[in-house]
Amino acid sequence: MNILLYFSLGASIASFLGLVVDRFPERSIVLPASHCDHCHSRLGISEMIPILSQVYYGSRCKHCKHAIPKRYMVIEAICGILFVLFGLGQMQLTTLLLLLMSLTLALYDLDQQEYPVFVWLVFTSLLLLFAHSYSLFAVLCLFGILAYMFPLKIGSGDFFYLASLSLIMDKMSILWIIQIGSWLGIITILSRKQKRTPIAFVPFLAAGFVLVLLMQRLGLFL
Ligand SMILES: [Zn+2]
């Protein structure tokens, strides 16, 4: 029963984060109430239950049948599983926070090639409460400011994201995250036709972070 509770809590938080990514900062996250972006019909209770509503209505709006991206359902399922792992004592609160931050910033970066500083600040303020060392955080934030002032190949948002990870992850892990993220980014650029179009890098760093977590869990060389 507890597992169900943790899963629905995680799925509901993911649903809220999806709304934040869709609306903030251009629009209010409170008003108007949840509605279909295509026909603007206000969503009823039966259309707002994470995952189940999308399965029941076949990922389409109940009123106009316009397709709803399946990514919402996938994100809700992922967060549901993360909360279950946390609830079962298989994941620390700091890791859960880092993963939620990674998911949110990666979605922003994919959509807009940037993310709002306020969203980064909310997650980072919470992580600061649990940090043991702030030196790498300070250095990476400084790089972020420099990258903002003098545009480089790597964006300031990438440095700020790494800075937040460094509050919990050790130096070697951060180096591995950068290394794996770069490999994944290079493979993606090489496999695309338009090689000069900039890519969102936070999703690759986030993938590197997840892989490092998995390797640590499996006791592989980290
Ligand atoms: Zn609709």
Side-chain angles (χ1 to χ4, degrees):
M1 202 60 193
N2 282 352
I3 289 179
L4 201 64
L5 193 67
Y6 279 115
F7 186 85
S8 68
L9 178 65
S12 303
I13 287 177
S15 176
F16 173 71
L17 290 177
L19 178 101
V20 170
V21 173
D22 277 350
R23 294 191 184 187
F24 186 79
E26 289 83 11
R27 292 179 285 157
S28 161
I29 56 170
V30 183
L31 291 171
S34 294
H35 59 277
C36 167
D37 282 335
H38 194 246
C39 69
H40 303 290
S41 301
R42 194 168 162 172
L43 303 190
I45 300 280
S46 69
E47 296 158 87
M48 289 200 285
I49 304 166
I51 304 171
L52 295 180
S53 297
Q54 236 184 309
V55 172
Y56 185 74
Y57 291 112
S59 289
R60 291 192 174 275
C61 169
K62 179 184 167 186
H63 310 277
C64 68
K65 308 297 176 202
H66 192 257
I68 298 168
K70 290 201 171 57
R71 83 170 194 186
Y72 294 106
M73 196 164 57
V74 173
I75 293 163
E76 287 162 4
I78 290 172
C79 282
I81 293 167
L82 293 179
F83 270 72
V84 168
L85 289 173
F86 169 69
L88 295 176
Q90 298 296 314
M91 182 181 286
Q92 293 188 334
L93 178 62
T94 47
T95 309
L96 179 65
L97 268 174
L98 286 177
L99 286 167
L100 289 179
M101 177 187 73
S102 301
L103 189 65
T104 310
L105 300 188
L107 285 173
Y108 265 115
D109 207 23
L110 278 172
D111 283 354
Q112 307 171 18
Q113 300 244 321
E114 61 182 3
Y115 56 78
V117 177
F118 180 75
V119 173
W120 174 81
L121 260 179
V122 170
F123 282 110
T124 305
S125 310
L126 292 170
L127 291 164
L128 279 166
L129 301 173
F130 300 97
H132 301 298
S133 166
Y134 303 94
S135 48
L136 188 54
F137 174 76
V139 170
L140 289 165
C141 281
L142 184 65
F143 281 153
I145 293 166
L146 287 173
Y148 182 75
M149 292 167 67
F150 310 101
L152 307 167
K153 288 279 182 199
I154 179 167
S156 57
D158 305 322
F159 284 117
F160 283 115
Y161 169 61
L162 286 167
S164 304
L165 291 183
S166 77
L167 287 169
I168 307 299
M169 306 298 284
D170 60 42
K171 214 168 38 223
M172 281 311 291
S173 300
I174 296 297
L175 288 174
W176 271 110
I177 290 167
I178 296 171
Q179 187 67 72
I180 296 170
S182 303
W183 284 335
L184 295 174
I186 289 168
I187 292 168
T188 305
I189 289 172
L190 291 177
S191 62
R192 290 193 323 180
K193 285 192 179 129
Q194 296 190 327
K195 297 186 173 28
R196 286 186 179 274
T197 321
I199 56 163
F201 196 40
V202 170
F204 294 108
L205 292 173
F209 168 54
V210 172
L211 285 174
V212 166
L213 283 181
L214 286 174
M215 286 195 283
Q216 284 178 337
R217 176 58 73 98
L218 296 170
L220 296 172
F221 71 85
L222 286 166

